[in-house]
């Protein structure tokens, strides 16, 4: 095995098909690792990031890769992270075969041959993946300090084999109440937007989201034009895939709720919702969730993955939970001890606050 380090996106030797074939065979098979997502994200956020794509070959055959970027926080500190780290809910190394050997080779390379990092942040690794265990083994072998941060819950609605349970869930009174209300107000339509409609509806979607979070401690991500650009780039990159599931609920032709999500590997992915705040009192967002579940049932999807976060509304519609693992790897022990102290201090603070 050997590594090819690619620092310029135009030099990537893998075709889109070869890249996605490895992802589809990977332990973590998610659209956030696909070539289309990677290209969309890097096209949007390349400024401030340096590509560090590590391709692993066995002979002349690519068998895996680490989709990394170097983030320059200032002139002194540089962090290695997964490409897409701030926008993707599931990330991982791609290595369908010989994963332990691939990860060992990658970390050997990062220690011995690539010095342009002080810290490696590998966030949102699914707990079902063997990656985190192999990384910790590699760190112990190489004497690299490693810190595992708090796991992140990822609730989901398991549909396959649970159709009757799911049908009862969406017909509970509190989950059906928004539908009952809006259907009495006029013509209510749920539809997945066509490619021709997307450009027209994205500005309305952004505007709804900005208005929804205006004046709160959590302003909309769409106040940043780069985040708007990412959503536009994803829509363009996904045009030939049918993975984008951008849907709208309309009342007499007026959009009252949107969901920008995905349909990949027989799963629906919850990603970014918005709704018209004029209708907040009647829960247009809950109405959207109910329509998505109905659509998933009709299209025989295995699950609706609500991705990262334990927002209260998700508990109304989920029956299972996974979690993601976040790892920090440090080149120097003093940097590790500094962050380890901060981490445990914050845990104590949270505990005291709860009690």
């Amino acid at each position: 095995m050997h590594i090819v380090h690619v620092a310029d996106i135009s030099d990537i030797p893998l075709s889109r098909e070869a890249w996605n074939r490895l992802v589809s065979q990977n332990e973590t098979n998610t659209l956030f690792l696909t070539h289309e997502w990677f290209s969309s994200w890097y096209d949007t956020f390349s400024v401030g990031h340096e590509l560090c794509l590590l391709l692993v070959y066995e002979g002349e055959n690519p068998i895996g890769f680490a989709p990394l970027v170097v983030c320059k926080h200032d002139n002194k500190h540089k962090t290695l992270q997964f490409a897409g780290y701030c926008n993707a809910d599931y990330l991982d190394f791609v290595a369908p075969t010989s994963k332990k050997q691939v990860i060992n080779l990658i970390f050997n390379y990062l220690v011995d041959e690539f010095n342009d990092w002080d810290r490696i942040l590998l966030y949102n690794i699914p707990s079902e993946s063997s990656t985190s265990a192999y990384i910790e083994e590699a760190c112990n072998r190489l004497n690299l300090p490693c810190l595992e941060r708090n796991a992140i819950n990822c609730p989901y609605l398991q549909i396959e084999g649970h159709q009757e349970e799911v049908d009862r869930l969406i017909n509970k009174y509190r989950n059906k109440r928004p539908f009952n209300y809006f259907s009495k107000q006029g013509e209510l339509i749920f539809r997945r937007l066509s490619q021709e409609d997307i450009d027209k509806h994205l500005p309305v979607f952004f505007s709804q989201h900005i208005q929804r979070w205006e004046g709160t401690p959590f302003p909309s991500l769409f106040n940043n034009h780069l985040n708007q650009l990412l959503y536009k780039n994803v829509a363009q990159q996904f045009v030939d895939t049918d993975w984008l599931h951008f849907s709208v609920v309309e009342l007499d032709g007026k959009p009252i709720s949107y969901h920008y999500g995905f349909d990949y590997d027989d799963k629906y992915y919850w990603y970014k919702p918005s709704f018209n705040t004029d209708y907040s009192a009647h829960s247009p967002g809950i109405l959207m969730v109910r329509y998505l579940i109905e659509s998933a049932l009709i299209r025989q999807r295995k699950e609706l993955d609500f991705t990262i976060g334990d927002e209260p509304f998700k508990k109304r519609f989920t029956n299972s939970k996974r979690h993601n693992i976040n790892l920090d790897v440090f080149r120097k022990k003093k940097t590790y001890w500094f962050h380890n102290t901060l981490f445990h201090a914050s845990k104590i603070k949270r505990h005291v606050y709860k009690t």
Side-chain angles (χ1 to χ4, degrees):
M1 288 185 192
H2 67 279
I3 283 182
V4 173
H5 181 163
V6 180
D8 190 313
I9 195 167
S10 63
D11 293 333
I12 296 176
L14 285 183
S15 66
R16 179 181 63 84
E17 292 76 15
W19 178 300
N20 287 344
R21 185 162 51 248
L22 289 171
V23 172
S24 69
Q25 298 166 356
N26 195 43
E27 198 174 12
T28 301
N29 174 19
T30 171
L31 69 100
F32 298 112
L33 290 171
T34 62
H35 186 275
E36 289 81 355
W37 178 270
F38 168 83
S39 298
S40 301
W41 186 88
Y42 195 77
D43 284 349
T44 306
F45 295 105
S46 58
V47 175
H49 297 92
E50 294 178 2
L51 184 61
C52 180
L53 177 65
L54 303 181
L55 297 171
V56 181
Y57 283 79
E58 191 160 43
E60 297 182 355
N61 298 316
I63 62 169
F65 58 89
L68 303 173
V69 291
V70 180
C71 312
K72 292 186 175 181
H73 299 288
D74 50 46
N75 292 328
K76 295 181 180 179
H77 301 290
K78 295 181 180 180
T79 301
L80 266 177
Q81 295 185 253
F82 285 124
Y85 64 93
C86 52
N87 303 95
D89 292 329
Y90 302 112
L91 292 166
D92 205 344
F93 292 118
V94 176
T97 60
S98 307
K99 193 168 194 179
K100 183 174 183 178
Q101 295 93 318
V102 167
I103 289 176
N104 278 326
L105 186 66
I106 288 169
F107 273 81
N108 288 346
Y109 179 84
L110 292 176
V111 169
D112 297 333
E113 300 186 49
F114 184 68
N115 297 315
D116 203 20
W117 63 274
D118 304 291
R119 185 180 175 196
I120 306 174
L121 273 60
L122 300 174
Y123 286 8
N124 286 334
I125 302 172
S127 60
E128 296 93 338
S129 170
S130 59
T131 294
S132 58
Y134 291 148
I135 288 174
E136 291 180 4
E137 286 181 23
C139 288
N140 288 334
R141 177 176 55 83
L142 295 167
N143 201 27
L144 290 173
C146 182
L147 174 64
E148 182 174 330
R149 296 189 175 272
N150 294 330
I152 300 175
N153 289 324
C154 306
Y156 65 99
L157 177 65
Q158 187 174 357
I159 297 173
E160 188 176 54
H162 298 262
Q163 286 87 346
E164 291 185 6
E165 174 194 347
V166 173
D167 191 59
R168 288 194 300 271
L169 183 150
I170 61 175
N171 285 299
K172 284 184 177 180
Y173 174 72
R174 68 171 185 164
N175 295 335
K176 195 174 180 179
R177 184 169 51 191
F179 172 80
N180 293 338
Y181 171 80
F182 284 110
S183 61
K184 293 175 183 176
Q185 308 308 308
E187 185 181 21
L188 195 60
I189 293 176
F190 165 82
R191 63 190 179 100
R192 182 177 179 178
L193 294 171
S194 67
Q195 190 63 36
E196 293 73 24
D197 285 336
I198 288 174
D199 288 343
K200 170 187 170 184
H201 282 267
L202 272 175
V204 186
F205 167 71
F206 296 145
S207 178
Q208 281 189 3
H209 196 273
I210 290 169
Q211 185 176 9
R212 161 68 178 86
W213 294 102
E214 190 175 19
T216 75
F218 311 101
S220 171
L221 77 163
F222 297 122
N223 287 323
N224 183 338
H225 77 281
L226 288 178
N227 288 319
Q228 293 194 23
L229 180 59
L230 173 65
Y231 281 59
K232 294 174 182 177
N233 285 342
V234 168
Q236 291 172 1
Q237 287 281 350
F238 281 23
V239 66
D240 295 324
T241 66
D242 205 35
W243 294 339
L244 180 62
H245 195 285
F246 187 21
S247 48
V248 62
V249 176
E250 295 170 318
L251 179 63
D252 290 335
K254 181 179 181 179
I256 62 171
S257 183
Y258 286 101
H259 177 246
Y260 189 106
F262 306 103
D263 181 3
Y264 178 85
D265 193 31
D266 289 331
K267 300 178 185 178
Y268 276 7
Y269 284 79
W270 179 263
Y271 192 61
K272 192 63 62 181
S274 75
F275 59 83
N276 186 325
T277 55
D278 292 343
Y279 299 92
S280 297
H282 302 287
S283 305
I286 296 299
L287 176 64
M288 171 61 79
V289 176
R290 189 174 181 274
Y291 271 124
L292 285 172
I293 295 172
E294 287 183 335
S295 175
L297 280 167
I298 292 169
R299 301 188 71 182
Q300 298 183 316
R301 295 300 182 254
K302 292 185 285 189
E303 65 181 61
L304 171 53
D305 186 341
F306 280 87
T307 60
I308 62 174
D310 259 341
E311 296 91 333
F313 80 90
K314 294 181 180 180
K315 295 177 182 178
R316 294 170 59 168
F317 293 103
T318 55
N319 56 16
S320 299
K321 187 181 291 186
R322 292 183 281 256
H323 67 272
N324 285 351
I325 294 172
N326 297 332
L327 296 177
D328 283 12
V329 179
F330 303 87
R331 186 181 287 279
K332 297 179 180 179
K333 288 186 177 179
K334 68 177 183 179
T335 311
Y336 162 78
W337 284 115
F338 173 76
H339 286 278
N340 187 56
T341 302
L342 289 178
F343 172 63
H344 287 287
S346 66
K347 286 181 68 175
I348 293 171
K349 184 178 179 180
R350 285 196 298 272
H351 177 73
V352 171
Y353 178 77
K354 288 180 181 179
T355 56

